[in-house]
Amino acid sequence: MRPILKLAIAAAMLACFVAAQSVLNVRAQDAPPKKLDPAAWGESRAGQPIPEYVSGDECLFCHRNTTGVTWQINAHGLTIRHRNDAPELVALAKSHTTLAAVESGIEYFLGSRRHIRFLRKNGYGKFDIASAHAVVDAEKKAERWMGVENLSWNREKFADRCAGCHTTGVDSKDKTFGAFGLECYTCHGIVDLEHTKDTTFVLLAKKRKDEARVVTSLCAQCHLRGGKSRLSGLPYPNNFVPGDNLFKDFEVDFAAADDPQLNAGDRHVWRNVRDVVVEGKESVTCLNCHQIHADPSRASATRRHRIVLKGPICFDCHYEDQPMKNLKPYTATSGLCEY
Ligand code: HEC
Ligand code: HEC
Ligand code: HEC
Ligand code: HEC
Ligand code: HEC
Ligand code: HEC
């Protein structure tokens, strides 16, 4: 074949491909969004006792050389730490004169990235939370302090308002937790040890291809800040077990997905959850964009997101009419988390 003809055929093929793509795009846009009842499928164990689950240490005994390596620096694992494991936060507390005076009474720290709170034990599975709040830089040095003058400890707040999303295995009746910080159970659920022979026994394994609504439910249990449990009235889910349907008990208002006042960090989460569980768009979940066990200090944790097909979610953070390297600035804030 003459090279010029080859080129013409290639060009024709490309034209067909582009045409087919734009037809597909038009179809995707034209299809009216579904209006599904998010509570219609699956199970809920709200109100039941917390099931037995394998502890994080047991999982890490076998998975220490792979998952264990990045788990040490994963925000989920670090969200609450004992002072012996957080020398930089002990130094932070000592750096403020008022806090330094009570520093030895601070046993745990809440927050792993920008915002740090201070905790001490209050009986089994409960914490007191101090009024103090530090905004920190990447070195964990204070940029700003709040609530440190007239420092006080609150005995109820952590159990009433925080425990469900920052600790593991919370019993909504007595509001106690089984372990501080977030263990493997919070995402992988009840793990059958038979999975060592057949990985399809464990939620989120590569071989399983979990349904979009299952994945979405399990991330949304903590990332939809502003919902509440119908049964307990608490601002966190009631005995949600990964694999189950969050929306049978957890009541949320998806209008947040369209709220221009909401920061993009939260808004894109509401949008993605609504896309999946209300509009039935199952092709994109959190995991098309986020890699939980990647090194969070590297772009690799969100590298996947760059190749996702463009849609409205992109423009929570990017400009519709500008190159993708330009980002809309936003500050993550949350009334629930008090920052
Ligand atoms: C419904 C679940 C939920 C509840 C309840 C909740 N949080 Fe959070 N919290 C989150 C999630 C999810 C994040 C991470 C959000 C992000 O980074 O976009 C977070 C982040 C934080 C951070 C920021 C960590 C950092 O290093 O930047 C602090 C501090 C915090 N929460 C404190 C609290 C306190 C105090 C309470 C109770 C008064 C509370 N949270 C209740 C889900 C929750
Ligand atoms: C915040 C949710 C979350 C927590 C907590 C979590 N995982 Fe995962 N894990 C995932 C997701 C999501 C995947 C699927 C991989 C993907 O798509 O990136 C995964 C995958 C894995 C894999 C498969 C290998 C891989 O990297 O893909 C192993 C092994 C694993 N997790 C072990 C653990 C262990 C052990 C813990 C506790 C120390 C843990 N996970 C805690 C969400 C979590
Ligand atoms: C007795 C050792 C052992 C324990 C304990 C254990 N695992 Fe595993 N796990 C394995 C082996 C072996 C495999 C299969 C080989 C592989 O993928 O690493 C596996 C596979 C997995 C996978 C799928 C990996 C993939 O490639 O898709 C996940 C997810 C996982 N484990 C999570 C967990 C979690 C969460 C816990 C704790 C609740 C746990 N494991 C406890 C040994 C163990
Ligand atoms: C049990 C509650 C809980 C579950 C389940 C959960 N998260 Fe989180 N997530 C949090 C909290 C709390 C933080 C902030 C921790 C901190 O910094 O103190 C967080 C932080 C994050 C961050 C920011 C971390 C960083 O390094 O910048 C991402 C991204 C994220 N979660 C995605 C997910 C995805 C995807 C899933 C589902 C696979 C998921 N989370 C499941 C509670 C949860
Ligand atoms: C289309 C891709 C995409 C989807 C889908 C997506 N995210 Fe994100 N998300 C991102 C990107 C990109 C960032 C920005 C990371 C950064 O700032 O470095 C981000 C940021 C975040 C943050 C940090 C916000 C902050 O600034 O504190 C959290 C938490 C988060 N996502 C959770 C989720 C959860 C949970 C889901 C699923 C319900 C989800 N995301 C779905 C792309 C996505
Ligand atoms: C929550 C905010 C957020 C959302 C939603 C989001 N992005 Fe991004 N995007 C970022 C951030 C932050 C970066 C830079 C760091 C990185 O790559 O993770 C980025 C970088 C990119 C880049 C690389 C740009 C360059 O030239 O450097 C591309 C391409 C991209 N995003 C595409 C997308 C697409 C496509 C979507 C929708 C499917 C999307 N993004 C959704 C925050 C977001």
Side-chain angles (χ1 to χ4, degrees):
M1 213 187 290
R2 299 221 315 271
I4 190 85
L5 192 60
K6 257 195 194 161
L7 212 67
I9 292 173
M13 280 168 66
L14 188 69
C16 285
F17 178 73
V18 170
Q21 286 278 307
S22 55
V23 167
L24 282 177
N25 282 339
V26 169
R27 288 234 180 90
Q29 277 165 14
D30 283 352
K34 291 184 198 159
K35 200 109 187 72
L36 305 175
D37 171 7
W41 58 276
E43 274 191 73
S44 165
R45 281 173 257 199
Q48 295 177 24
I50 303 295
E52 290 223 7
Y53 59 88
V54 178
S55 79
D57 284 344
E58 289 171 80
C59 308
L60 287 173
F61 181 78
C62 294
H63 289 287
R64 63 187 174 281
N65 293 329
T66 48
T67 323
V69 179
T70 57
W71 190 248
Q72 313 269 339
I73 45 172
N74 187 296
H76 296 95
L78 295 181
T79 191
I80 293 183
R81 271 179 293 167
H82 188 266
R83 55 182 289 135
N84 292 347
D85 300 319
E88 74 283 16
L89 298 182
V90 172
L92 171 74
K94 283 183 174 160
S95 74
H96 190 287
T97 41
T98 313
L99 214 53
V102 298
E103 174 276 316
S104 62
I106 298 167
E107 293 168 289
Y108 297 86
F109 297 93
L110 164 60
S112 80
R113 295 161 297 151
R114 280 281 288 160
H115 302 272
I116 308 296
R117 300 292 296 264
F118 307 89
L119 310 169
R120 67 181 186 200
K121 268 204 115 154
N122 159 8
Y124 170 78
K126 289 208 174 174
F127 284 136
D128 291 339
I129 184 167
S131 54
H133 175 172
V135 184
V136 296
D137 63 17
E139 270 73 54
K140 303 291 182 266
K141 300 269 187 300
E143 283 175 359
R144 245 173 339 119
W145 287 96
M146 282 153 298
V148 227
E149 307 312 326
N150 307 318
L151 184 85
S152 62
W153 289 94
N154 187 314
R155 293 185 71 76
E156 312 298 333
K157 186 192 277 179
F158 187 83
D160 285 344
R161 306 205 38 93
C162 320
C165 305
H166 290 276
T167 66
T168 305
V170 175
D171 183 327
S172 285
K173 271 207 194 74
D174 45 23
K175 298 178 228 166
T176 52
F177 54 82
F180 64 85
L182 302 177
E183 296 206 339
C184 323
Y185 165 73
T186 59
C187 288
H188 291 282
I190 302 167
V191 174
D192 186 336
L193 287 179
E194 286 297 304
H195 81 275
T196 57
K197 292 180 219 113
D198 177 355
T199 59
T200 59
F201 280 110
V202 57
L203 208 57
L204 300 169
K206 291 189 189 77
K207 272 209 211 126
R208 263 177 75 107
K209 312 256 178 290
D210 292 295
E211 287 177 285
R213 59 195 189 183
V214 168
V215 171
T216 303
S217 250
L218 75 88
C219 302
Q221 70 172 297
C222 304
H223 282 277
L224 291 183
R225 296 188 284 185
K228 74 168 201 290
S229 160
R230 289 195 184 92
L231 194 62
S232 67
L234 297 171
Y236 52 77
N238 186 327
N239 192 30
F240 173 78
V241 181
D244 289 355
N245 182 344
L246 176 70
F247 302 98
K248 283 193 179 295
D249 177 61
F250 203 58
E251 198 173 0
V252 297
D253 181 358
F254 284 109
D258 297 319
D259 179 0
Q261 303 301 320
L262 188 64
N263 74 85
D266 283 286
R267 189 170 356 101
H268 85 286
V269 173
W270 282 91
R271 187 190 297 281
N272 183 233
V273 174
R274 184 180 64 181
D275 281 352
V276 173
V277 306
V278 180
E279 301 190 356
K281 297 177 190 156
E282 301 200 322
S283 57
V284 178
T285 72
C286 319
L287 304 187
N288 289 78
C289 299
H290 292 283
Q291 269 179 286
I292 295 293
H293 295 299
D295 180 341
S297 63
R298 297 168 164 225
S300 60
T302 49
R303 192 176 50 211
R304 279 181 187 168
H305 100 275
R306 300 173 170 212
I307 56 167
V308 172
L309 201 63
K310 263 190 211 172
I313 194 170
C314 310
F315 310 118
D316 281 337
C317 302
H318 298 274
Y319 297 94
E320 209 156 351
D321 53 357
Q322 289 183 29
M324 295 304 270
K325 69 175 194 319
N326 297 352
L327 290 163
K328 296 179 183 169
Y330 73 88
T331 312
T333 58
S334 163
L336 179 63
C337 296
E338 304 183 334
Y339 66 84

